[in-house]
Amino acid sequence: MKKIRIAARGSKLSRIQVRMVEEKLNKLGIETSFVEVKTKADLFQASPLSQLGKGVFEKEVNQAVINGEADIAVHSMKDMLSETPPGLELYAVLKRDPPFDVLISLSCRGLFELESGKVIGTSSMRRKNSIVFYRKDLLVRDLRGNIDTRLRKLFQGEYDAIIVAEASITRLATYDHQYQGINYSKFDPTLLTPEANQGIIAIVGKSNSPLKDLFRKLNDEKTYHEAIAERTALNIIGGGCHSPLGVLFEELDEGEYRGIMTFIDGRKKITVEGIFRGKPEEVGEELGKRLLKEIKDEGIVIKT
């Protein structure tokens, strides 16, 4: 088999995620090559993500596959649009890394131990709204850049604390020793519910390619079920990756899930959770409808 060309962003974390896919392919005796792609998010790092529109981390990477410049695209699944572009499909997901959010602070203190007036950096509306909801006495400032850039800005003193995905820290630490030993406090999902599909690496390719049969060997079924349930729940509400919504499913047993979903706008926080049974799409739909009812009962309208 010829080398499989893998398209992805060129950031340190993105390269690590590609490496994780490459290692699995190499074990199957398959060679790979890397195709670096610049995305809209990379080109306009001074702009807030909410102003750049949808698909800013994936559109150009997927286009490289559509154009025949690469065989597959590797993404952080939380950055993917709810609908896969025509002609492409989700081939596989790797086993999920920790899905939680973490706070890293210069003082090694958690959110509720930080002194009043401290500056927290994040580019996520969900995280910003959560900080405002819990700690109105803290200052929230937009923080763009790749994860290594965000950490550098923190340690240079531009921020007193930052909130990031735990998976990004664990992946960096696994492949780069300089990131080992970073102390952080982990958010319980009832306090700060993660973004849909956080901690999941996705592999996308052409629908008509024979390669998709190969990638079924890499697919983690448990993670795939959780991913579909979360995306279904998110679609019920109608929010995107820049919305104030968090959702997390854990498959406890085949067909049985623990799910939690939260809407938070800085003034109100609405959370629904429970144990659900059924197919991923069914449990996702049930959780999403429960939260949607609560949101409508409060007279809240979510912008999509």
Side-chain angles (χ1 to χ4, degrees), residues 13-14 26 35 63-64 133 170 173 184 187-188 205 219 225 230 234 246 255 293:
L13 182 59
S14 182
N26 294 161
V35 179
Q63 194 62 45
F133 181 81
T170 58
Y184 56 76
F187 286 98
D188 185 280
N219 188 56
H225 293 162
E230 291 168 12
L234 196 66
K293 181 180 185 304

Side-chain angles (χ1 to χ4, degrees), residues 103-116:
L103 183 138
I104 308 173
S105 67
L106 294 175
S107 62
C108 296
R109 295 180 178 179
L111 180 66
F112 297 101
E113 289 72 48
L114 288 174
E115 297 176 359
S116 181

Side-chain angles (χ1 to χ4, degrees), residues 4-46:
I4 290 182
R5 300 164 298 167
I6 304 176
R9 299 171 61 216
S11 69
K12 182 185 291 289
L13 182 59
S14 182
R15 290 297 299 267
I16 286 173
Q17 292 171 172
V18 168
R19 184 173 173 182
M20 293 168 69
V21 174
E22 287 178 324
E23 288 175 350
K24 292 186 177 297
L25 289 171
N26 294 161
K27 287 180 180 179
L28 297 175
I30 299 168
E31 295 184 344
T32 61
S33 62
F34 177 64
V35 179
E36 181 177 346
V37 179
K38 291 284 187 183
T39 68
K40 190 175 182 180
D42 298 310
L43 298 174
F44 299 96
Q45 292 199 16

Side-chain angles (χ1 to χ4, degrees), residues 56-87:
V56 295
F57 289 107
E58 65 162 333
K59 184 177 180 181
E60 290 83 0
V61 179
N62 286 337
Q63 194 62 45
V65 177
I66 293 172
N67 294 344
E69 299 162 8
D71 300 301
I72 60 169
V74 171
H75 301 289
S76 290
M77 196 169 183
K78 68 183 180 67
D79 295 329
M80 292 173 57
L81 294 171
S82 57
E83 297 295 331
T84 307

